[in-house]
Amino acid sequence: MWGGRFGLGPDAVLEAINASIDYDKRLATQDIEASRAHAAMLAATGIISHSDAEAIREGLLTVLSEIESGSFRFQKALEDIHMNVESRLRELIGEPAGRLHTARSRNDQVATDFRLWVRERCDAAVAGLEALMRALVAQAEQGADLVMPGFTHLQTAQPVTWGHHMLAYAEMFARDRGRFLDARARMNESPLGAAALAGTSFPIDREMTAKALGFDRPMANSIDAVSARDFALEFLSASAICATHLSRLAEEIVIWCSAEFGFVKLSDAFTTGSSIMPQKRNPDAAELVRAKTGRILGAFVGLGIVLKGLPLAYSKDMQEDKEQVFDAADSLLLAIAAAEGMIRDMQPVPQRLREAAGRGFSTATDLADWLVRRLGMPFRDAHHVTGTLVKEAEARGCDLAGLPLEAMQQVHGGITAEVYEVLGVDNSVASRRSHGGTAPDQVRTQVARWKEILG
């Protein structure tokens, strides 16, 4: 590649640390797509002949076919995907291949290829999240009336509906979807034509190549074009937040599948057995989704550390941007697909959910609210009265609905038998009709909204 300047080949250690072909060959499709756009632009602007451009186009299609069929021989001595493609192109078409690199550098070439690849993964993440959200909405629709315990601090707090709980995750993943769409919009500018860092003296048409590659516009500063990797960092940031949400969902599935909770069942499709304990059904898919989060968060931190001390413009450190992004993208898309599969497979156990919903004095807040509404009591006073009643029920070994009216009236004489109407879990959830509340009619309203959004 640079024999005119260097008399000797690289040391074996340098060759090993310098080569990136083992992983950046994943950019082959993007590299060839960008090269085809570049060659067409060079011909359209008169920088190379149309016959050379046609030879390059046909040759690149042949290279792509060889790569897709598995017959292409990648060579580590050629360092990266760009030189592997160019070298094979020269074998196929001869001298015209040498004109392809006119008015570009590997610096803007790799920046373009990598943007195209990350942009595609943003699209894949959006599609995967939409599928997951549809699965959650389907669960919510089926369980709009199904009562379950709501938790704070993993302690029973208030009764909620299954549908409401499912839609909480739909909201989370909708924000993740928005982050990937935002990241895609920001990265959708073309570095191609920035060359090494200063642009080029050739009369190129950067608008043409940007349009051909589906970019909104060319990047405005050639130094920034070859230096910027924040598009990859933003993709990893969105991935890390999304993975955190996936991990929270996976953790709940692990808990819910346990014998102690027994809230849901997963089929054989998403569980495994034990090599020694024949009774076991382990939620391994959920546990592995939970674990993938560490890899994705690590990739985000790793790339941030690579970039934090780099002066402008391009440095070879940037070669270390790809492996962790590739791995994080693979991990994320697999985790999203696994989560969708589990949600579609998951079967709630209504009896266990209902029994748990009534434990832990979960309607205590309903009692306090009743005291405020019916007796005009300040909420802080109602809170104190309710706490006293909870203590009495706990001492008697019953729930609030099991307390005799006389016992309640000893704490506050204004309490009437009407109070028992708010102490059932069904009445509790039905009363939460505020916007975004857990009442079944609110859940159905939100389900209808999401079905319209997701199509």
Side-chain angles (χ1 to χ4, degrees):
M1 286 180 288
W2 39 68
R5 173 66 178 85
F6 287 73
L8 298 175
D11 185 89
V13 173
L14 174 59
E15 185 173 306
I17 198 173
N18 197 42
S20 58
I21 189 59
D22 287 346
Y23 51 87
D24 70 14
K25 61 187 177 184
R26 293 186 66 165
L27 299 176
T29 300
Q30 292 76 22
D31 192 70
I32 290 170
E33 181 185 6
S35 290
R36 289 176 62 195
H38 186 66
M41 180 275 294
L42 292 176
T45 53
I47 297 172
I48 67 173
S49 69
H50 285 283
S51 60
D52 281 349
E54 179 60 20
I56 290 169
R57 188 188 78 84
E58 291 296 326
L60 287 171
L61 289 175
T62 299
V63 174
L64 180 61
S65 176
E66 291 177 353
I67 291 173
E68 290 177 342
S69 69
S71 63
F72 188 93
R73 188 171 66 88
F74 293 101
Q75 300 179 60
K76 185 167 284 191
L78 293 173
E79 290 190 8
D80 56 32
I81 186 60
H82 322 299
M83 297 312 301
N84 270 266
V85 169
E86 186 176 322
S87 175
R88 178 58 179 149
L89 183 65
R90 194 174 191 92
E91 291 175 356
L92 290 169
I93 68 171
E95 185 179 278
R99 305 188 194 283
L100 175 59
H101 209 54
T102 307
R104 77 174 184 186
S105 161
R106 282 196 297 175
N107 293 357
D108 63 336
Q109 191 177 357
V110 68
T112 303
D113 296 353
F114 198 24
R115 262 178 204 262
L116 289 170
W117 192 92
V118 174
R119 188 179 71 182
E120 289 175 11
R121 270 53 190 185
C122 282
D123 292 342
V126 167
L129 286 169
E130 288 175 351
L132 173 55
M133 290 164 65
R134 289 189 189 95
L136 288 162
V137 170
Q139 282 279 1
E141 186 171 29
Q142 293 165 15
D145 295 291
L146 180 56
V147 178
M148 68 174 289
F151 297 93
T152 62
H153 310 278
L154 203 56
Q155 306 295 311
T156 301
Q158 292 177 302
V160 296
T161 50
W162 177 261
H164 192 55
H165 199 103
M166 293 296 102
L167 289 178
Y169 281 109
E171 295 286 343
M172 286 188 194
F173 293 126
R175 293 192 295 274
D176 292 323
R177 173 181 176 271
R179 275 182 277 271
F180 285 112
L181 289 172
D182 289 347
R184 188 196 196 284
R186 261 185 294 279
M187 74 176 65
N188 205 35
E189 296 181 336
S190 174
L192 194 57
L197 77 160
T200 177
S201 59
F202 289 97
I204 62 173
D205 185 346
R206 293 189 64 207
E207 294 281 355
M208 179 181 173
T209 50
K211 183 178 179 181
L213 295 171
F215 289 113
D216 294 331
R217 65 192 69 86
M219 294 183 74
N221 184 286
S222 60
I223 294 176
D224 178 51
V226 300
S227 303
R229 292 298 184 272
D230 56 323
F231 68 91
L233 196 61
E234 188 169 12
F235 170 76
L236 290 178
S237 173
S239 298
I241 297 171
C242 181
T244 302
H245 290 157
L246 288 166
S247 185
R248 295 184 74 177
L249 173 59
E251 170 70 4
E252 292 214 304
I253 292 173
V254 170
I255 292 171
W256 292 346
C257 283
S258 68
E260 290 73 17
F261 276 73
F263 285 0
V264 302
K265 292 181 179 178
L266 287 175
S267 76
D268 295 353
F270 288 94
T271 56
T272 65
S274 166
S275 63
I276 189 172
M277 295 170 285
Q279 83 282 8
K280 293 295 293 297
R281 182 188 290 275
N282 300 320
D284 283 6
E287 292 170 14
L288 289 167
V289 167
R290 189 174 58 186
K292 293 290 184 186
T293 305
R295 297 175 69 154
I296 297 167
L297 283 167
F300 171 68
V301 173
L303 182 57
I305 292 171
V306 167
L307 297 175
K308 73 172 185 63
L310 296 185
L312 299 179
Y314 180 83
S315 297
K316 194 70 171 183
D317 309 53
M318 291 183 182
Q319 184 168 292
E320 293 298 311
D321 59 2
K322 294 171 198 65
E323 277 186 287
Q324 46 207 338
V325 175
F326 292 161
D327 182 75
D330 291 347
S331 296
L332 178 72
L333 295 176
L334 183 58
I336 292 173
E340 183 210 347
M342 284 187 290
I343 293 299
R344 293 197 183 280
D345 182 74
M346 186 169 64
Q347 294 294 321
V349 183
Q351 183 178 352
R352 292 298 293 265
L353 290 167
R354 174 172 286 278
E355 288 172 355
R359 295 190 201 123
F361 308 103
S362 64
T363 57
T365 306
D366 298 276
L367 173 55
D369 290 346
W370 183 87
L371 293 170
V372 171
R373 283 196 311 272
R374 301 299 294 172
L375 304 184
M377 193 180 295
F379 182 79
R380 284 299 171 201
D381 293 345
H383 186 284
H384 179 79
V385 169
T386 301
T388 304
L389 291 171
V390 167
K391 186 177 180 180
E392 178 64 22
E394 195 170 40
R396 290 173 178 251
C398 65
D399 59 15
L400 286 170
L403 268 180
L405 180 60
E406 303 79 45
M408 291 190 182
Q409 290 175 335
Q410 286 177 8
V411 175
H412 193 284
I415 298 176
T416 68
E418 186 184 325
V419 74
Y420 292 102
E421 294 177 6
V422 303
L423 297 182
V425 292
D426 291 297
N427 290 334
S428 175
V429 297
S431 71
R432 308 291 175 181
R433 295 189 182 93
S434 58
H435 180 75
T438 194
D441 57 348
Q442 282 294 318
V443 171
R444 291 189 180 92
T445 297
Q446 294 301 321
V447 164
R449 179 176 72 92
W450 278 117
K451 288 173 78 171
E452 183 177 352
I453 291 170
L454 296 169

